[in-house]
């Protein structure tokens, strides 16, 4: 459909499609809610429980149809009737507190229910017995099942050898149940069901549902995916409404594929960015389903939490200030001066991007441990400080600040931005008689201020949300942060998870405040750069300071990069980490051989590379499409994803 720009035209077909999309979303929300409530007792609020039930039911049907049914057919009518009677009585006795669960009309389904229940509550076959049973031939296995069924009908009958250790000491209904279920377990689905359906009543409801074969058709597809169906329905409804508003605002009732891209990006960000944040807020403010600030007040009453918040703010602010103070002059020297090896230094300082912070924390533990740290040992020998601890202590607030600064200062680096800066204003400053230093403070610094502040805020958020360094350095020194407290709470059960969620609101609120500062406060100030034809600023000649500054930058690189990474590397080749790698018999490659000989190491390496590649690819793809739509189109709503 084509239309002229600016001409307001209404296409009923477009409106009809939007209405149908909205109704489809509403129908999915209704269906998802219906599916969730259909077996709410069994699902216990966990979407994965019914999915596990489907798989468990399917595998149980396979075992019973291929194993127990042929064995039943081989029994006489009298034996089959006795088995049916005993199984029904056993089921009634086992589930006497749940009358609905007893109403299973078929003998095989009753046995299926007992079989499923025994997977949860009965003793398990040991490895030797399981191997014996699974190793039986088809004929021998059928004979075993027939004999077990006869033992159900007659409790005085001697059990087969394969069932004695599992049911030999049991009697009554427990013996009958175990005899009917002496088959290999279904551990994977049982484990998932145990995690998903925890309550006894909910488990009994799940047993009834599985045994009665109610997990079919609609419930099989919808009930096990209720939350997902509801979420998709809500997204369809939002998409229909947003597209209608965008078309109405643009006075363009015509379908364009670019709108689909915008809506897909918005949906992606809503699900994977906004939904988790809303979940955190709701869990914190509605801990028991109703609005309450009790959790936040209780957490705020603990001195350790207040101390953690204070430490987080101090560490983050100090890291931000120190990182910015280091990054700006370093970026200027590398990007705007004739420093020796400036291209090499630019590449060298990027290394800290590539290494997880906790790796650096481990290195600094080896260097600044108050007792046996290499730097402390050197300082004691040089200054004759004796054999006491210190003088440096990495297990402290200053130690944590230093380690974080050494890893996060590149986040505030502006060397590339300085290299691309328009030189016109600098030339005008020099022509006006300003010295190079005056030009830096009066021209370069104001022009770089927005980027500098953005980098500083990124350093603050990164330091506040860091867990690796505080867990390795802070915890031994009793320096808690919000992230370490959150992880500690997660190990305390359901209440601990609620407290961890509430405490994480602090980090989210901090990030949002900084976003407000960056987007609102700084946006009120105008930063205008006059563009000229030249895109290569003139390098500042350091003259007599060229060698001293090169030595200074080199020393800094040695301290923050070469020293910690060399320590980690050399430690990996040591037999005794407390001795020098050059000591007799202390050099070994066994550590490397041992690590890479393990399958789990290669598996973890593959996972890390795969996840990193996928995350980077998806992030770049979304960013490129989002920026293209915002900068190269005039569609209404193109700025929504960026917001």
């Amino acid at each position: 459909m084509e239309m002229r720009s600016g001409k307001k035209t209404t296409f009923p077909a477009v409106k009809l499609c939007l209405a149908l999309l909205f109704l489809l979303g509403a129908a999915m929300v209704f269906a998802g809610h219906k599916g969730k409530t259909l077996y709410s007792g069994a699902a216990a609020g966990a979407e994965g429980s019914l999915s596990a039930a489907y798989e468990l039911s399917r595998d149980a049907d396979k075992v019973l149809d291929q194993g127990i049914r042929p064995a039943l057919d081989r029994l006489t009518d009298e034996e089959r009737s006795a088995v049916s009677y005993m199984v029904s009585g056993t089921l009634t006795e086992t589930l006497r507190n749940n009358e609905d669960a007893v109403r299973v009309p078929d003998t095989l389904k009753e046995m299926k229910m007992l079989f499923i229940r025994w997977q949860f509550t009965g003793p398990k076959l040991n490895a030797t017995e399981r191997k014996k049973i699974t190793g039986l031939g088809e004929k021998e296995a059928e004979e075993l099942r027939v004999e077990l069924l006869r033992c159900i009908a007659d409790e005085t009958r001697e059990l087969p050898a394969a069932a004695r250790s599992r049911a030999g000491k049991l009697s009554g209904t427990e013996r009958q149940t175990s005899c009917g279920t002496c088959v290999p377990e279904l551990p994977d689905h049982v484990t998932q069901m145990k995690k998903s359906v925890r309550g006894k009543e909910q488990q009994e409801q799940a047993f009834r549902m599985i045994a009665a074969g109610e997990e079919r058709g609609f419930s099989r597809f919808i009930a096990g995916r209720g939350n997902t169906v509801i979420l998709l329905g809500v997204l369809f409804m939002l998409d229909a409404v947003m597209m209608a508003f965008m078309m109405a605002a643009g006075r363009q009732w015509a379908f364009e594929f670019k709108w689909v891209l915008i809506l897909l990006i918005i949906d992606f960000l809503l699900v994977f960015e906004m939904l988790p944040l809303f979940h955190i807020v709701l869990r914190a403010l509605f801990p028991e389903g109703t609005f309450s600030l009790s959790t936040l007040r209780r957490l705020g009453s603990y001195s350790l939490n207040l101390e953690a918040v204070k430490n987080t703010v101090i560490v983050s602010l100090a890291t931000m200030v120190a990182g910015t103070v280091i990054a700006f002059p370093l970026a200027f020297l590398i990007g705007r001066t004739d420093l020796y090896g400036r291209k090499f230094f630019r590449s060298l300082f990027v290394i800290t991007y590539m290494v997880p912070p906790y790796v650096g924390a481990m290195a600094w533990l080896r260097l600044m441990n108050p007792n046996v740290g290499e730097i402390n040992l050197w300082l004691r020998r040089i200054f004759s400080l004796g054999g006491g601890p210190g003088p440096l202590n990495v297990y402290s607030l200053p130690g944590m600040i230093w380690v974080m600064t050494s890893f996060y200062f590149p986040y505030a680096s502006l060397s590339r931005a300085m290299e691309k800066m328009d030189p016109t204003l600098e030339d005008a400053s020099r022509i006006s008689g300003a010295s190079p230093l005056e030009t830096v403070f009066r021209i370069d610094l104001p022009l770089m201020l927005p980027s500098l502040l953005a980098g500083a805020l990124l350093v603050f958020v990164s330091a506040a949300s860091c867990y690796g360094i505080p867990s390795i350095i802070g915890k031994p020194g009793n320096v808690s942060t919000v992230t370490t407290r959150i992880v500690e709470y997660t190990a305390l059960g359901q209440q601990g998870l609620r407290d961890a969620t509430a405490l994480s609101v602090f980090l989210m609120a901090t990030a949002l405040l900084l976003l407000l500062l960056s987007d609102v406060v700084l946006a009120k100030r105008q930063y205008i750069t006059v563009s000229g034809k030249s895109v290569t600023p003139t390098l500042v000649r350091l003259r007599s300071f060229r060698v001293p500054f090169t030595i200074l930058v080199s020393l800094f690189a040695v301290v923050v990069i070469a020293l910690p990474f060399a320590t980690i590397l050399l430690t990996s080749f040591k037999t005794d980490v407390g001795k020098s790698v050059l000591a007799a018999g202390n050099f070994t490659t066994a550590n490397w051989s041992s690590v890479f000989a393990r399958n789990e190491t290669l598996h973890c390496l593959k996972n890390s590379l795969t996840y990193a590649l996928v995350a980077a690819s998806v992030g770049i793809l979304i960013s490129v499409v989002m920026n293209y739509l915002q900068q190269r189109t005039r569609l209404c709503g193109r700025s929504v994803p960026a917001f």
Side-chain angles (χ1 to χ4, degrees):
M1 290 180 290
E2 296 181 358
M3 58 180 299
R4 294 179 182 177
S5 177
K7 183 178 179 181
K8 182 178 180 181
T9 306
T10 301
F11 291 92
V14 175
K15 292 184 177 180
L16 178 61
C17 290
L18 294 178
L20 291 176
L21 180 63
F22 184 87
L23 292 177
L24 174 63
M28 292 180 68
V29 172
F30 175 79
H33 177 71
K34 181 71 174 177
K36 280 175 60 66
T37 57
L38 190 59
Y39 299 114
S40 58
E47 184 170 313
S49 60
L50 285 176
S51 298
Y54 301 149
E55 300 298 330
L56 187 57
S57 176
R58 185 186 65 181
D59 289 353
D61 282 335
K62 183 177 179 181
V63 169
L64 294 173
D65 288 341
Q66 297 181 3
I68 304 301
R69 188 187 296 276
L72 278 172
D73 293 340
R74 287 185 51 184
L75 299 180
T76 64
D77 291 341
E78 182 179 353
E79 289 175 331
R80 205 162 32 244
S81 177
V83 169
S84 178
Y85 176 79
M86 295 301 295
V87 168
S88 180
T90 301
L91 186 61
T92 303
E93 175 67 21
T94 304
L95 305 176
R96 59 181 179 274
N97 296 326
N98 192 341
E99 295 182 2
D100 291 336
V102 180
R103 297 171 186 170
V104 181
D106 184 79
T107 300
L108 202 62
K109 289 184 177 180
E110 290 177 337
M111 294 189 69
K112 176 181 176 181
M113 187 169 184
L114 290 174
F115 168 61
I116 296 295
R117 190 176 188 279
W118 189 262
Q119 299 292 317
F120 281 77
T121 60
K124 306 302 178 185
L125 288 171
N126 59 45
T128 303
E129 293 168 332
R130 187 183 298 109
K131 187 175 181 180
K132 287 181 180 179
I133 294 177
T134 55
L136 291 175
E138 184 177 347
K139 184 176 181 180
E140 291 83 357
E142 186 172 343
E143 293 294 339
L144 173 62
R145 296 187 191 103
V146 171
E147 186 61 25
L148 288 172
L149 290 174
R150 287 173 176 154
C151 289
I152 292 177
D154 183 5
E155 189 173 352
T156 63
R157 196 179 186 93
E158 184 179 0
L159 289 167
R164 287 173 188 168
S165 62
R166 189 180 191 190
K169 297 181 181 180
L170 301 177
S171 61
T173 58
E174 290 183 342
R175 181 181 186 272
Q176 294 158 12
T177 303
S178 65
C179 287
T181 57
C182 276
V183 293
E185 289 89 350
L186 309 171
D188 294 338
H189 303 319
V190 171
T191 301
Q192 189 174 355
M193 280 286 290
K194 285 182 177 180
K195 292 179 179 179
S196 302
V197 189
R198 298 181 181 275
K200 183 178 180 180
E201 294 182 1
Q202 286 80 13
Q203 285 186 358
E204 299 291 359
Q205 177 73 1
F207 299 154
R208 181 200 63 77
M209 180 193 69
I210 295 171
E214 296 181 6
E215 66 296 343
R216 296 289 187 268
F218 173 81
S219 62
R220 184 178 182 113
F221 182 77
I222 300 296
R225 303 171 178 86
N227 293 330
T228 303
V229 173
I230 291 174
L231 178 60
L232 290 175
V234 171
L235 290 178
F236 284 164
M237 295 171 67
L238 287 176
D239 289 345
V241 172
M242 285 189 293
M243 185 170 287
F245 271 110
M246 288 189 293
M247 288 183 175
R251 300 180 180 181
Q252 213 173 19
W253 289 93
F255 175 80
E256 287 196 36
F257 183 71
K258 295 175 183 177
W259 268 324
V260 177
L261 293 179
I262 292 175
L263 292 177
L264 286 176
I265 294 175
I266 292 175
D267 291 344
F268 180 87
L269 296 176
L270 285 176
V271 173
F272 295 104
E273 183 175 293
M274 299 306 299
L275 186 61
L277 299 182
F278 281 123
H279 176 74
I280 289 176
V281 173
L282 290 176
R283 289 290 299 271
L285 300 182
F286 297 85
E288 302 295 336
T290 57
F291 178 78
S292 174
L293 297 177
S294 59
T295 301
L296 296 177
R297 283 196 295 265
R298 179 168 50 79
L299 292 175
S301 65
Y302 298 155
S303 59
L304 190 57
N305 289 338
L306 297 178
E307 183 72 16
V309 171
K310 184 183 74 173
N311 291 338
T312 301
V313 173
I314 292 174
V315 170
S316 302
L317 283 175
T319 302
M320 179 185 71
V321 173
T324 305
V325 169
I326 292 173
F328 181 76
L330 196 62
F332 181 80
L333 288 171
I334 293 174
R336 297 303 313 280
T337 71
D338 60 346
L339 186 79
Y340 287 115
R342 62 194 190 93
K343 292 183 179 180
F344 167 75
F345 287 123
R346 182 195 300 119
S347 302
L348 183 64
F349 288 123
V350 174
I351 290 179
T352 54
Y353 280 117
M354 314 299 177
V355 180
Y358 59 81
V359 175
M362 294 169 59
W364 285 107
L365 286 184
R366 298 286 305 150
L367 291 170
M368 290 174 51
N369 184 289
N371 296 314
V372 295
E374 298 290 344
I375 294 179
N376 281 318
L377 294 177
W378 295 340
L379 292 176
R380 289 177 205 160
R381 285 196 296 265
I382 293 173
F383 298 100
S384 302
L385 298 178
L392 302 179
N393 182 12
V394 73
Y395 302 119
S396 63
L397 203 60
M400 188 189 303
I401 292 171
W402 165 248
V403 176
M404 284 196 175
T405 301
S406 67
F407 266 81
Y408 287 123
F409 81 89
Y411 285 47
S413 179
L414 302 169
S415 59
R416 287 293 185 184
M418 286 186 171
E419 291 178 8
K420 299 298 182 182
M421 201 171 65
D422 190 344
T424 306
L425 295 179
E426 291 182 320
D427 294 340
S429 175
R430 294 191 187 96
I431 292 173
S432 300
S435 66
L437 189 60
E438 288 178 321
T439 301
V440 169
F441 283 99
R442 297 180 63 178
I443 302 298
D444 294 337
L445 185 58
L447 286 177
M448 291 291 103
L449 188 58
S451 299
L452 190 65
L453 290 177
L457 295 179
L458 179 60
V459 172
F460 183 94
V461 173
S462 300
S465 60
C466 178
Y467 171 73
I469 294 175
S471 65
I472 294 177
I473 292 178
K475 292 190 70 173
N478 294 321
V479 181
S480 297
T481 62
V482 173
T483 53
T484 57
R485 291 293 294 161
I486 289 174
V487 175
E488 289 171 2
Y489 274 120
T490 58
L492 302 179
Q494 290 297 317
Q495 181 61 46
L497 287 175
R498 285 194 290 267
D499 291 347
T501 303
L503 193 58
S504 64
V505 172
F506 167 77
L507 293 179
M508 187 182 69
T510 302
L512 291 177
L513 287 175
L514 293 176
L515 179 64
L516 179 67
L517 175 65
S518 176
D519 287 353
V520 177
V521 177
L522 294 181
K524 293 181 178 179
R525 302 186 62 180
Q526 294 184 354
Y527 296 89
I528 302 174
T529 301
V530 180
S531 298
K533 294 182 180 180
S534 175
V535 294
T536 305
T538 305
L539 292 179
V540 177
R541 303 297 176 182
L542 295 176
R543 295 185 176 86
S544 60
F545 292 99
R546 191 179 186 187
V547 173
F549 275 127
T550 302
I551 295 175
L552 185 63
V553 173
S554 300
L555 289 175
F556 179 76
V558 168
V559 171
V560 301
I561 296 178
L563 195 58
F565 290 130
T567 300
I568 288 290
L569 181 62
L570 293 176
T571 302
S572 68
F573 289 105
K574 291 182 179 181
T575 301
D576 185 349
V577 296
K579 298 180 181 179
S580 171
V581 72
L582 301 177
N586 202 37
F587 180 84
T588 180
T589 59
N591 299 326
W592 288 84
S593 301
S594 174
V595 167
F596 284 100
R598 302 171 187 167
N599 290 330
E600 58 267 27
T601 300
L602 299 177
H603 180 69
C604 293
L605 180 61
K606 183 187 72 173
N607 286 343
S608 297
L609 295 176
T610 302
Y611 297 153
L613 179 62
V614 172
S617 301
V618 172
I620 290 174
L621 178 62
I622 293 176
S623 299
V624 169
V625 175
M626 186 169 62
N627 282 280
Y628 171 81
L629 293 172
Q630 185 174 5
Q631 301 296 331
R632 296 303 182 94
T633 68
R634 290 294 178 264
L635 289 176
C636 182
R638 64 187 183 278
S639 299
V640 175
F643 169 78

